[in-house]
């Protein structure tokens, strides 16, 4: 690997108490080119703009995928990753579906380790502080031919973040018209275009006072699938219910960690299709206790109400499972508790 270190760090210009999610980037980035049928030697260099041809294939056909992961610093200044092997595996599952050449595991982990080691001062200890890590790859070949490219760029960039706090209530709209993903499509992949397609329906929902959309199955709109870019859980009586993953649902690492932790703590978890009508009827009976989303950025996000067919259903404000499972997960991430599932990986 080639490493070009920064001359002067820009870290002293950063106000770490007032970070807007995803807008500040560390001193370095990792870049690796795919050319002549193989991934070339990765390079770490100062974070800087790229030069691309206007005909770069990604700009026309959207052949691009990404990952989202986090690094945490404990009170002894040790940096930890959370289940990075899962992110790597999912990255290559997404790549395969988008006809992008899979990225070598050794490049990924060596690159990530060196990059985080160089930029470790950007990771602040203390609850809620973390480094959001964004690996991605896109088709860079200069060609407007509508076929898979023969040149790609893989990169990792890193952004310091504070814990997600919206400040307000999270009210969600259950989708009746638009869909996020179709059977046989790319919903399970972190494909760039999946997110672009959500912006219009989500901004329309926002105008009506909803922060997120709960996506339902594209065929019947009868089953709950995901909430925005989070997986979704329902607590009915004392059981947690979440949709099973399939080709329309992103196999969230937070989702599966919450399922494992909940079961470990003796909570009953069901992975099965969740009908909108079932949840509305549970609400009516007073047995719907909590609804929350899970994802790397938010960890666990309690939802305060959902709306369907013009009617709003308020949820109780206690959210005991959401809060306790979030704490259990964050205690593992920040090395404040045992790690019974061996999820932490140190940066050395
Ligand atoms: C990334 C993502 C999630 C959450 O996955 P995590 O691995 O928990 O971060 C859920 N849904 C969608 C659509 C996503 O893109």
């Amino acid at each position: 690997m080639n490493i070009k270190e920064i001359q002067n760090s820009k870290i002293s210009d950063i106000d770490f108490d007032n970070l807007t999610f995803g807008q500040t980037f560390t001193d370095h980035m990792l870049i690796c080119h795919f050319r002549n049928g193989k991934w070339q030697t990765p390079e770490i260099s100062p974070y800087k703009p790229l030069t691309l041809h206007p005909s770069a294939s990604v700009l026309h056909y959207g052949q691009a995928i990404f990952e989202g992961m986090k690094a945490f610093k404990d009170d002894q200044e040790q940096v930890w990753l959370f289940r990075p092997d899962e992110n790597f595996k999912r990255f290559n599952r997404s790549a395969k579906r988008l006809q992008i050449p899979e990225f070598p595991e050794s490049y990924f982990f060596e690159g990530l380790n060196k990059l985080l080691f160089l930029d470790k001062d950007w990771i602040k200890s203390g609850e809620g502080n973390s480094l959001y890590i964004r690996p991605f790859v896109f088709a860079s070949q200069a060609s407007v031919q509508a076929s898979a490219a023969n040149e790609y760029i893989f990169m990792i960039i890193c952004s310091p973040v504070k814990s997600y706090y919206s400040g307000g209530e999270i009210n969600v709209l259950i989708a009746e018209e638009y869909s996020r993903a179709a059977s046989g499509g790319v919903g399970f992949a972190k494909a760039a275009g999946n997110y672009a397609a959500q912006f219009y329906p989500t901004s329309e929902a926002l105008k009506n006072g909803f922060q997120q959309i709960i996506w339902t199955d594209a065929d019947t709109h009868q089953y709950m699938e995901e909430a925005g870019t989070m997986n979704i859980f329902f607590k009915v009586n004392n059981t947690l219910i979440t949709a099973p993953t399939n080709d329309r649902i992103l196999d969230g690492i937070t989702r599966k960690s919450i399922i494992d932790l909940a079961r470990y703590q003796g909570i009953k978890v069901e992975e099965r299709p969740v009908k909108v009508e079932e949840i509305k009827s549970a609400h009516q009976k007073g047995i719907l206790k909590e609804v929350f989303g899970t994802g790397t950025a938010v960890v666990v996000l309690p939802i305060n109400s959902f709306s369907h067919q013009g009617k709003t259903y308020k949820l109780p404000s206690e959210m005991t499972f959401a809060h306790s499972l979030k704490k259990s997960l964050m205690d593992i991430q920040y090395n404040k508790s045992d790690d019974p599932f061996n999820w932490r990986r140190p940066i050395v």
Side-chain angles (χ1 to χ4, degrees):
M1 187 164 334
N2 302 319
I3 300 182
K4 287 187 198 133
E5 285 192 41
I6 197 109
Q7 298 290 321
N8 296 302
S9 174
K10 57 189 184 217
I11 197 166
S12 58
D13 301 339
I14 310 299
D15 178 0
F16 281 86
D17 292 324
N18 291 295
L19 294 165
T20 305
F21 185 90
Q23 292 194 3
T24 303
F25 294 92
T26 61
D27 285 327
H28 298 92
M29 63 185 199
L30 182 128
I31 186 163
C32 185
H33 292 265
F34 184 89
R35 274 192 210 112
N36 305 322
K38 71 187 265 275
W39 287 103
Q40 308 291 312
T41 306
E43 178 178 281
I44 290 176
S45 75
Y47 180 93
K48 60 174 184 291
L50 300 171
T51 305
L52 287 179
H53 280 278
S55 56
S57 180
V58 66
L59 302 177
H60 306 273
Y61 307 119
Q63 200 188 4
I65 55 137
F66 66 93
E67 261 306 321
M69 54 204 291
K70 275 180 175 173
F72 308 88
K73 197 177 252 178
D74 68 19
D75 295 338
Q76 285 77 48
E77 301 286 295
Q78 172 64 51
V79 175
W80 299 92
L81 291 169
F82 181 73
R83 309 189 76 178
D85 41 320
E86 293 290 335
N87 293 98
F88 174 73
K89 280 189 268 176
R90 190 171 65 191
F91 190 78
N92 275 344
R93 284 203 300 274
S94 298
K96 188 169 181 207
R97 179 62 181 83
L98 274 287
Q99 189 56 28
I100 292 170
E102 291 178 27
F103 195 68
E105 185 167 4
S106 61
Y107 286 8
F108 186 90
F109 285 103
E110 246 177 74
L112 189 56
N113 252 280
K114 290 216 163 93
L115 183 63
L116 293 189
F117 194 79
L118 271 179
D119 284 344
K120 62 183 179 308
D121 291 347
W122 290 79
I123 312 171
K124 301 298 178 190
S125 59
E127 191 106 345
N129 297 320
S130 62
L131 189 72
Y132 185 78
I133 303 165
R134 170 53 59 91
F136 60 106
V137 60
F138 60 92
S140 55
Q141 185 189 2
S143 167
V144 294
Q145 190 181 30
S147 59
N150 60 21
E151 289 185 6
Y152 296 86
I153 295 179
F154 169 90
M155 302 190 72
I156 304 178
I157 56 175
C158 302
S159 174
V161 294
K162 297 279 288 179
S163 77
Y164 180 94
Y165 175 66
S166 73
E169 300 228 318
I170 303 294
N171 303 306
V172 300
L173 177 68
I174 298 180
E176 291 172 64
E177 183 185 358
Y178 296 104
S179 304
R180 192 191 86 87
S183 299
V186 296
F188 71 90
K190 277 182 128 58
N194 286 345
Y195 304 84
Q198 287 187 215
F199 296 160
Y200 173 71
T202 305
S203 67
E204 288 296 295
L206 203 61
K207 282 186 203 159
N208 294 313
F210 303 107
Q211 284 71 39
Q212 288 288 356
I213 293 177
I214 295 187
W215 299 105
T216 47
D217 69 291
D219 296 335
T220 70
H221 294 294
Q222 284 185 38
Y223 292 90
M224 313 261 205
E225 297 204 320
E226 296 207 52
T229 55
M230 299 179 289
N231 295 108
I232 189 164
F233 287 79
F234 303 90
K235 179 185 173 193
V236 176
N237 285 320
N238 279 317
T239 301
L240 273 182
I241 309 170
T242 191
T245 55
N246 57 31
D247 60 0
R248 299 184 306 273
I249 298 184
L250 205 289
D251 183 7
I253 297 160
T254 319
R255 172 189 177 279
K256 59 179 158 205
S257 304
I258 289 289
I259 292 173
D260 287 349
L261 274 176
R263 287 188 174 141
Y264 186 72
Q265 295 175 8
I267 295 167
K268 190 171 168 218
V269 186
E270 294 176 3
E271 290 177 76
R272 59 165 175 81
V274 190
K275 261 197 151 164
V276 178
E277 287 308 319
E278 174 191 352
I279 295 304
K280 281 162 65 172
S281 123
H283 182 274
Q284 201 187 2
K285 291 181 200 144
I287 56 172
L288 178 66
K289 307 292 187 192
E290 302 182 33
V291 181
F292 57 86
T294 63
T296 295
V298 295
V299 189
V300 172
L301 185 69
I303 289 168
N304 302 98
S305 81
F306 62 88
S307 291
H308 187 240
Q309 294 173 341
K311 200 165 167 235
T312 295
Y313 303 80
K314 285 232 151 259
L315 291 154
S317 53
E318 284 124 62
M319 304 284 182
T320 49
F321 277 15
H323 292 299
S324 74
L325 289 167
K326 180 174 187 174
K327 182 167 188 318
S328 303
L329 190 63
M330 289 179 69
D331 282 351
I332 295 176
Q333 291 174 327
Y334 286 89
N335 189 25
K336 285 185 170 175
S337 72
D338 290 345
D339 182 15
F341 299 98
N342 193 22
W343 286 337
R344 282 193 294 261
R345 293 286 173 275
I347 294 296
V348 286

